[in-house]
Amino acid sequence: QWLHRTIERTVYRPPLLMSTVIVHVLRVLGDVTRALDEFPGRKSIILISPGALISGWEAVRRVADLANRASVTIETIDSRGLSTLAAAAAAGASAFPSRGPGLSHEYLGISSQRALSQRFANYTKSQDMLSFLANMTAGRFLHENNDIYALVKAAAKDSEGYYLIGWDPGPDAFAQKPKQNPGYHPIKINVRGHKGLTVRTRDGFFA
């Protein structure tokens, strides 16, 4: 109940400098991950964020790598809930009334289909960081849902059970090979003989 009340009272206030906020969020994620590294087993962090457009990915990759080494899964939730931009972009410019006397494009909220498409593109790009952190750490990116409390419960329930698989790749596994990115190594796990099961693991790791 305390979690439900906390979420209901949460009010999002857009910051003046989003870039500064992202730097702070990533720093806090790194600090929390280092603290959780001292505990055994799989741990989880639930990140609730409205997303952001970012230009540099180095800090985001460091957080994902740190989380993987500490056996920490990052579950991310887009706090903006269900977006209407996708439906509006699919409907096209005809979904909006033409500008009439006394009505400016600013009043209508959109100047053209191109502007709407750009808004939708920026919206999806603003989710890239949340999606990346979840995918890279075997978490889930939960979005397009106005019931934030239900999403938090789903993220917390996901940590109730898991399988921990390890292997020794050998000392030469990460040697640079021709025409291959030496920094990123993908991971793929298949379960044979059991239909209907879905395996979720991190997409890969940097080494």
Side-chain angles (χ1 to χ4, degrees), residues 99-174:
R99 182 170 60 180
L103 293 179
S104 65
H105 287 314
E106 290 74 19
Y107 175 82
L108 293 175
I110 187 168
S111 60
S112 64
Q113 177 62 21
R114 179 179 299 178
L116 177 59
S117 298
Q118 184 60 46
R119 287 180 59 193
F120 179 65
N122 289 339
Y123 172 77
T124 56
K125 287 181 180 178
S126 70
Q127 295 179 325
D128 286 349
M129 183 188 72
L130 299 177
S131 178
F132 180 85
L133 288 173
N135 291 334
M136 289 299 297
T137 60
R140 292 180 299 173
F141 172 40
L142 306 177
H143 55 101
E144 309 302 332
N145 191 324
N146 292 330
D147 193 346
I148 303 298
Y149 176 66
L151 296 182
V152 172
K153 285 187 63 177
K157 185 176 179 60
D158 188 59
S159 299
E160 292 182 355
Y162 63 93
Y163 290 93
L164 184 61
I165 302 175
W167 88 103
D168 183 3
D172 299 328
F174 305 133

Side-chain angles (χ1 to χ4, degrees), residues 25-26 28-30 32-34 36 42-49 59-68 70-77 129-142 155-156 158-159 200 202:
V25 168
L26 293 175
V28 172
L29 278 177
V32 173
T33 301
R34 293 185 187 91
L36 291 175
R42 180 176 182 262
K43 289 82 64 175
S44 294
I45 295 176
I46 301 177
L47 173 61
I48 305 175
S49 168
V60 183
R61 292 191 182 100
R62 284 199 301 267
V63 170
D65 183 62
L66 183 64
N68 286 327
S71 297
V72 172
T73 295
I74 301 179
E75 304 273 351
T76 58
I77 297 175
M129 183 188 72
L130 299 177
S131 178
F132 180 85
L133 288 173
N135 291 334
M136 289 299 297
T137 60
R140 292 180 299 173
F141 172 40
L142 306 177
D158 188 59
S159 299
R200 191 174 76 250
R202 63 194 191 195

Side-chain angles (χ1 to χ4, degrees), residues 178-196:
K179 299 181 180 180
Q180 184 179 23
N181 186 348
Y184 181 74
H185 305 273
I187 295 177
K188 184 177 181 180
I189 298 178
N190 295 320
V191 178
R192 299 179 178 179
H194 296 277
K195 296 182 179 180

